[in-house]
Amino acid sequence: MDAFGEMSRRRFVPEETTYSLLISLSSKHGKGEQALQLFEEMKDRGIVPSNYTCASLLALYYKNEDYSKALSLFSEMEQYKITPNGALLRCYVAKEDIVSAEDTFRVLSTCGLPDVFCCNDLLRLYLRLGHLEKARALILKMREENFQLDEDLCMTVMEFYCKSSMVDDAEKLFKEIQRNGKTMKIATTISLIEMYARNRISMFLKEESLPRALDSTDSSAANIVLKSLLDMPEGLSNACQLISKLAREGDTDHAKFLYEQLTALGTKPDDSALATLIVQYGQNQQLEQAQELFQSASASSLVGSHVYNAMVDSLCKCGKTDEAYNLFMEMADQGNNRDAVTVSILVSHLTKHELTQFRKETH
């Protein structure tokens, strides 16, 4: 702002263009108070602000999450016939004011769809509020106009396909992203894999058994996406978290599908994911599935105490306390410490079992 001070000392009278530039620079460099002082001085001089001035100030308010002031500013500036802009749309989106956001978007679309940022803002709002049909209509409009998607908009469109279980469209977009050299964000990749886990398995099961289906998917798009996730930082960790999430939600078939896809790629899921799935099997009284998974994991590599604890818990929940005790004794032989957690699980279930037996015998 030294240049502005020098202009003032030389009695240079700045015009609208100069003020707008200085306001923009002040906003971009985090000097909000200075930008607003310049705006007030601009008004005092009777200089009519431009769309550029308005956009700079709205962007400043948006950055500071002061959306009410942004909207109040726009109302004030409407007297100068200022037209809506992308910064105004972002403020409405942030406030989840869908009606005003749509009205602004329509004004911006007078000569065709606005820029990728505006399209992405409105689409994200639709997804956030669950308006999937409106999201579908906007995406269809973009496709009809051959609208070029940037990386962020690609991710948002992919999120819509995943939420709507549009497997074929998701696969096409994934191939398009790869072909154009764009990078999938890890959160979007997780959503894509979850869609496969929730939908591919049911599609396979219509035609054949699960084991054959799993054998036939080595070169599928699901595996390609999964491989791309594993190449990302913390990719395996995120895949394992997804297995745990699906298991906790009761989707044990989907969780196992993803677990077996990982192992088929030669990757060992962590003990936490395996333990969560085994615990859920026990909760569902699916002891056979829990035992198969435990035995398969134990045969291929050493498993930790978390997995043993999960199997002990599942055996107890399914009424197999003797087998649970035997597994508890086996833990030390396999190099696992029988810690307080294991003892607590076993004692808790044994106590309940003994109490149940006592009640039966006394009635």
Side-chain angles (χ1 to χ4, degrees):
M1 301 304 293
D2 290 342
F4 184 67
E6 183 64 23
M7 285 189 291
S8 298
R9 283 191 293 274
R10 296 190 180 192
R11 298 181 181 180
F12 174 79
V13 180
E15 299 176 346
E16 186 279 328
T17 305
T18 307
Y19 271 111
S20 292
L21 178 60
L22 292 171
I23 287 171
S24 175
L25 290 172
S26 298
S27 300
K28 287 178 181 178
H29 289 85
K31 297 180 179 180
E33 290 185 8
Q34 188 169 266
L36 294 173
Q37 286 174 1
L38 286 166
F39 178 59
E40 290 301 321
E41 184 177 322
M42 187 179 185
K43 290 193 296 181
D44 291 342
R45 288 176 178 271
I47 300 174
V48 178
S50 65
N51 282 317
Y52 183 69
T53 311
C54 179
S56 297
L57 290 169
L58 288 176
L60 172 64
Y61 282 129
Y62 176 79
K63 184 178 179 181
N64 295 334
E65 299 183 3
D66 204 341
Y67 310 123
S68 296
K69 284 187 178 179
L71 300 180
S72 176
L73 171 69
F74 183 76
S75 296
E76 177 188 342
M77 295 184 77
E78 281 187 300
Q79 64 180 302
Y80 304 117
K81 297 182 180 180
I82 299 297
T83 57
N85 52 52
L88 179 66
L89 174 63
R90 280 190 286 280
C91 290
Y92 284 132
V93 168
K95 288 178 68 68
E96 297 187 349
D97 183 346
I98 192 169
V99 174
S100 298
E102 288 178 329
D103 287 343
T104 303
F105 190 83
R106 271 192 289 272
V107 173
L108 295 172
S109 303
T110 304
C111 299
L113 287 172
D115 61 33
V116 291
F117 306 107
C118 293
C119 290
N120 195 33
D121 288 333
L122 186 60
L123 187 57
R124 284 191 296 108
L125 179 61
Y126 285 150
L127 294 183
R128 193 187 315 157
L129 300 182
H131 293 286
L132 298 185
E133 285 305 314
K134 288 187 174 183
R136 187 192 307 274
L138 177 55
I139 292 171
L140 182 60
K141 179 71 172 174
M142 288 190 288
R143 291 304 192 191
E144 287 175 349
E145 295 192 12
N146 293 318
F147 194 76
Q148 294 299 310
L149 311 184
D150 70 350
E151 194 167 293
D152 286 339
L153 187 51
C154 275
M155 298 305 108
T156 309
V157 172
M158 182 67 84
E159 286 288 348
F160 165 74
Y161 288 151
C162 292
K163 279 180 178 288
S164 304
S165 297
M166 296 172 66
V167 177
D168 292 340
D169 291 278
E171 288 183 355
K172 288 178 184 176
L173 181 57
F174 179 71
K175 290 175 183 176
E176 183 181 318
I177 289 170
Q178 286 191 313
R179 188 169 56 250
N180 294 332
K182 295 185 174 73
T183 303
M184 284 280 288
K185 292 182 179 177
I186 195 162
T188 312
T189 307
I190 289 291
S191 296
L192 185 54
I193 291 170
E194 184 172 358
M195 180 197 67
Y196 278 119
R198 293 187 186 280
N199 294 280
R200 274 300 196 195
I201 188 170
S202 59
M203 294 165 65
F204 289 146
L205 289 174
K206 289 178 182 178
E207 303 175 1
E208 52 188 335
S209 66
L210 179 60
R212 283 187 62 196
L214 290 172
D215 290 342
S216 68
T217 59
D218 288 340
S219 60
S220 69
N223 261 325
I224 295 171
V225 176
L226 192 53
K227 287 175 183 175
S228 72
L229 174 63
L230 295 177
D231 289 336
M232 296 178 182
E234 302 297 322
L236 177 58
S237 174
N238 280 277
C240 291
Q241 288 175 32
L242 179 55
I243 292 172
S244 297
K245 173 180 178 286
L246 292 169
R248 284 193 297 269
E249 291 174 354
D251 290 341
T252 50
D253 286 341
H254 304 133
K256 186 181 179 186
F257 172 80
L258 181 53
Y259 179 90
E260 294 190 351
Q261 290 287 85
L262 280 175
T263 55
L265 291 174
T267 303
K268 180 182 181 295
D270 63 34
D271 282 355
S272 177
L274 177 59
T276 304
L277 185 50
I278 289 174
V279 166
Q280 192 60 45
Y281 277 137
Q283 188 74 35
N284 296 346
Q285 298 294 301
Q286 295 174 293
L287 182 58
E288 184 177 343
Q289 288 90 330
Q291 288 175 317
E292 286 179 1
L293 190 57
F294 176 78
Q295 289 166 4
S296 173
S298 303
S300 60
S301 62
L302 291 175
V303 295
S305 57
H306 288 315
V307 180
Y308 271 95
N309 290 343
M311 194 63 234
V312 168
D313 184 65
S314 290
L315 286 166
C316 289
K317 284 176 179 173
C318 294
K320 302 292 185 180
T321 51
D322 289 341
E323 291 182 36
Y325 180 76
N326 291 337
L327 184 60
F328 169 73
M329 298 303 293
E330 179 189 311
M331 286 180 68
D333 297 335
Q334 298 298 323
N336 287 288
N337 293 325
R338 293 174 290 197
D339 56 22
V341 175
T342 323
V343 175
S344 175
I345 292 170
L346 194 57
V347 169
S348 174
H349 283 289
L350 285 173
T351 303
K352 290 178 183 177
H353 177 72
E354 291 297 329
L355 184 59
T356 302
Q357 287 296 109
F358 175 76
R359 285 173 176 169
K360 286 181 180 178
E361 292 171 2
T362 54
H363 280 78

